[in-house]
Amino acid sequence: MVNGAAGVGPVTAISWTINRLDIFVVRYDGQLYHSHWPGPGWTTWAPGPGALAVAPCAPVCAVVSAGNWVRFVNLFVGALDGHVYHKRWLPISNTWSDWVQMGSLETVLHAQVTAVSRAPGFLDVFVADVDG
């Protein structure tokens, strides 16, 4: 349950620093939620950053990428308009970026987006388009 409501999509988890876990999930209402473990316990679920029309219970992809001296938390999700969007935690300003559409690729609802950081400054993102 997330904030007392059942019906959530797959949970994705990342660890981007020592003794810190972050988890993300999309609820039945299409709202992204976030919780983290700063030790000694989990924070309460809170609505995720920024508004985006996401399919109910859509899978979220979270990946940590390295930059020059900093680590970024990156989120990827398929939206109701069929496009993939990206958002990044900006540790220097302690804020989230806006959601940014990733090109013109169209995908099906609830498509699983997968991403990997293969080197500092490089993110590879994978998702099936509407043709499979």
Side-chain angles (χ1 to χ4, degrees):
M1 279 198 186
V2 176
N3 286 359
V8 297
V11 175
T12 188
I14 57 169
S15 177
W16 56 279
T17 190
I18 296 171
N19 293 326
R20 165 111 185 196
L21 293 172
D22 286 77
I23 55 176
F24 301 89
V25 68
V26 175
R27 260 184 17 171
Y28 69 92
D29 58 2
Q31 173 67 53
L32 176 72
Y33 277 82
H34 169 250
S35 180
H36 69 278
W37 176 281
W42 289 99
T43 61
T44 58
W45 286 100
L52 180 67
V54 178
C57 302
V60 178
C61 173
V63 65
V64 176
S65 63
N68 294 331
W69 307 288
V70 295
R71 292 182 187 173
F72 299 97
V73 174
N74 299 273
L75 300 179
F76 300 89
V77 68
L80 285 175
D81 66 4
H83 296 284
V84 175
Y85 287 81
H86 169 248
K87 177 180 274 293
R88 170 181 277 184
W89 174 253
L90 306 168
I92 294 171
S93 60
N94 205 31
T95 60
W96 286 94
S97 70
D98 292 331
W99 285 106
V100 176
Q101 181 179 318
M102 296 189 63
S104 59
L105 174 82
E106 290 189 43
T107 189
V108 296
L109 289 180
H110 296 98
Q112 178 65 57
V113 181
T114 302
V116 63
S117 177
R118 60 183 162 94
F122 290 91
L123 279 172
D124 294 321
V125 181
F126 304 90
V127 65
D129 69 5
V130 290
D131 295 330

